[in-house]
Amino acid sequence: ALAECGTNLVFGSTFLVLMKLFMMLIMLVSGCGACAYVEALAVAATFALAVGIKQLQPMPFSWSPDFDDNGLFHSAWMLYLSATLALMGQLSRVREGEDHGAEMDMVRRKADLGAAISGFDTLAETD
């Protein structure tokens, strides 16, 4: 389709890769901003896995006709899409106020830690 429009194929594919990279970075930043660290890390890791498979072509896949490197890439890309769906679900729950994710866990942990420290202080004073 790009060749029919007269667009340089190399420029078109480079543009698509940069656009996907930019979108992945936006998802990573928005996920971290909403304290959805696990989902954001899964998006980044699966994106890196898919791009790494496509660019590096692991050893048995690069020379053997018995292995399908394109199928391996598409399997990794499906993992990326499922991680993206998980991140979008977490972002929608945070937006609706149903789940505050790791932020509320950190607040609870700090409160528990403060109670434990004050408990140790009172034990030390009684001895």
Side-chain angles (χ1 to χ4, degrees):
L2 291 174
E4 293 172 1
C5 297
T7 306
N8 187 354
L9 187 59
V10 174
F11 172 74
S13 62
T14 303
F15 177 73
L16 290 175
V17 168
L18 290 176
M19 187 176 71
K20 288 290 185 188
L21 180 65
F22 182 68
M23 289 303 297
M24 188 273 305
L25 290 174
I26 287 175
M27 287 189 288
L28 182 66
V29 168
S30 61
C32 289
C35 296
Y37 300 114
V38 173
E39 291 85 356
L41 181 63
V43 166
T46 54
F47 182 82
L49 176 71
V51 170
I53 288 171
K54 188 67 171 175
Q55 294 299 316
L56 299 177
Q57 294 180 349
M59 192 58 175
F61 297 94
S62 61
W63 55 268
S64 177
D66 295 333
F67 295 104
D68 185 15
D69 62 337
N70 200 29
L72 184 64
F73 164 73
H74 283 105
S75 297
W77 195 253
M78 290 300 291
L79 289 174
Y80 165 71
L81 293 176
S82 63
T84 301
L85 181 64
L87 177 63
M88 293 299 154
Q90 183 67 21
L91 290 176
S92 69
R93 283 190 293 277
V94 168
R95 177 160 167 69
E96 292 171 359
E98 295 176 6
D99 186 14
H100 296 288
E103 186 176 319
M104 290 305 293
D105 289 341
M106 289 301 291
V107 170
R108 286 188 205 113
R109 287 182 189 156
K110 285 181 183 177
D112 292 344
L113 182 62
I117 290 173
S118 65
F120 285 126
D121 289 342
T122 55
L123 284 176
E125 291 174 2
T126 59
D127 287 340

